[in-house]
Amino acid sequence: MTPSFGHALVVGAALLSGGALAAVWRRDGGRPLAALPALTGGAVICMAGVTRFAGAGHSPETGQELAALICILGLATSILGAAWARGRLAR
Amino acid sequence: MDLVLTIVFYAFAILAVVGALTAALSATASRRLVGLIAVAAGTSGVLFSFSAWLVAPLALVCLGASALLLGGGPEDRAAASAPRAGLVEARPATLVGVAAAAALFVLLVVVAAGGSFQKEGSGSAGVAPSVLGRVIFARDALAVKAVGAAVMIALAVGAFARGRRS
């Protein structure tokens, strides 16, 4: 079964839903922040899938560029979240 | 997509999803860290199978660093010895959240598998996803990237300000 854009979207949806589950399952301390890598990964797979499977007619690298941007955005959010969680624990 | 990349796609997709579920449901910091690292490795492997040679290592580095930042924590040492609560003992708000996450997954799968993504944009709803995709990825691609970069800079400035205050 050759992967298609639909398969990429399903994997991305599973990761996004896993991230949402991580955010709601345990909400004490900084634990919901563990959702960030899964949410980022889901969005990145969907964006990269656009470049891999989209037809002609648009800039072919845009999906990968947005995927790279989302990766860095996820890392920045994680740094901010970790700083917030540690500041909250210190108080 | 050839056979090797197909196998790589499915193997790493399973690794990423299992890692996400492990990170979501595990009570201990070490298991959560392993789950988040599996998410990073799985996502990077899926991107590798898409021939995204630049984004795959970037995702491994960024998601791996996120996993190391968020995977553990001193508060988890006490939680590791606490009794484990299952779905039956969960609070009503948690149950609602779990149901919402499951509903989100079903909704996204229905949109991905049965929506106009697969029918080349013949959606009859108010906004066809393919039209939205053309706006985001073609017409206004530069604006979307600019908004993402602005959000990233705002987050970096927020992290810097927070670090200075504490």
Side-chain angles (χ1 to χ4, degrees), chain B residues 73-152:
Chain B
E75 83 276 17
D76 291 315
R77 291 187 191 120
S81 57
R84 291 179 191 179
L87 201 58
V88 180
E89 295 91 20
R91 289 174 295 180
T94 305
L95 289 176
V96 170
V98 171
L104 174 70
F105 177 66
V106 171
L107 177 70
L108 289 174
V109 167
V110 167
V111 169
S116 59
F117 284 114
Q118 302 290 64
K119 297 168 190 158
E120 310 235 340
S122 60
S124 58
V127 178
S130 57
V131 175
L132 194 63
R134 272 185 216 111
V135 169
I136 291 174
F137 292 105
R139 203 190 73 184
D140 294 335
L142 193 62
V144 172
K145 288 176 205 166
V147 168
V151 171
M152 190 179 69

Side-chain angles (χ1 to χ4, degrees), chain B residues 3-163:
Chain B
L3 182 64
V4 174
L5 290 181
T6 301
I7 293 170
V8 168
F9 172 81
Y10 284 115
F12 281 100
I14 291 169
L15 177 68
V17 173
V18 170
L21 290 176
T22 304
L25 300 175
S26 63
T28 60
S30 57
R31 278 189 199 168
R32 196 163 68 228
L33 181 61
V34 168
L36 291 179
I37 288 174
V39 169
T43 302
S44 179
V46 169
L47 295 178
F48 176 76
S49 76
F50 288 167
S51 306
W53 310 117
L54 183 65
V55 185
L58 182 70
L60 186 63
V61 169
C62 290
L63 295 182
S66 297
L68 293 175
L69 277 169
L70 303 171
E75 83 276 17
D76 291 315
R77 291 187 191 120
S81 57
R84 291 179 191 179
L87 201 58
V88 180
E89 295 91 20
R91 289 174 295 180
T94 305
L95 289 176
V96 170
V98 171
L104 174 70
F105 177 66
V106 171
L107 177 70
L108 289 174
V109 167
V110 167
V111 169
S116 59
F117 284 114
Q118 302 290 64
K119 297 168 190 158
E120 310 235 340
S122 60
S124 58
V127 178
S130 57
V131 175
L132 194 63
R134 272 185 216 111
V135 169
I136 291 174
F137 292 105
R139 203 190 73 184
D140 294 335
L142 193 62
V144 172
K145 288 176 205 166
V147 168
V151 171
M152 190 179 69
I153 291 168
L155 284 170
V157 170
F160 182 69
R162 176 127 201 136

Side-chain angles (χ1 to χ4, degrees), chain A:
Chain A
M1 198 163 59
T2 306
S4 63
F5 187 44
H7 291 92
L9 289 177
V10 169
V11 174
L15 279 178
L16 286 170
S17 306
L21 182 64
V24 299
W25 184 244
R26 286 193 172 83
R27 287 181 294 175
D28 48 334
R31 288 181 180 190
L33 292 170
L36 282 173
L39 293 172
T40 306
V44 163
I45 287 175
C46 292
M47 290 295 168
V50 170
T51 291
R52 178 66 183 81
F53 297 109
H58 68 88
S59 171
E61 301 303 323
T62 304
Q64 286 194 18
E65 289 167 5
L66 285 174
L69 192 64
I70 291 170
C71 279
I72 299 170
L73 203 61
L75 179 59
T77 314
S78 299
I79 293 170
L80 187 59
W84 170 79
R86 279 172 195 158
R88 202 173 145 188
L89 277 174
R91 263 186 263 136

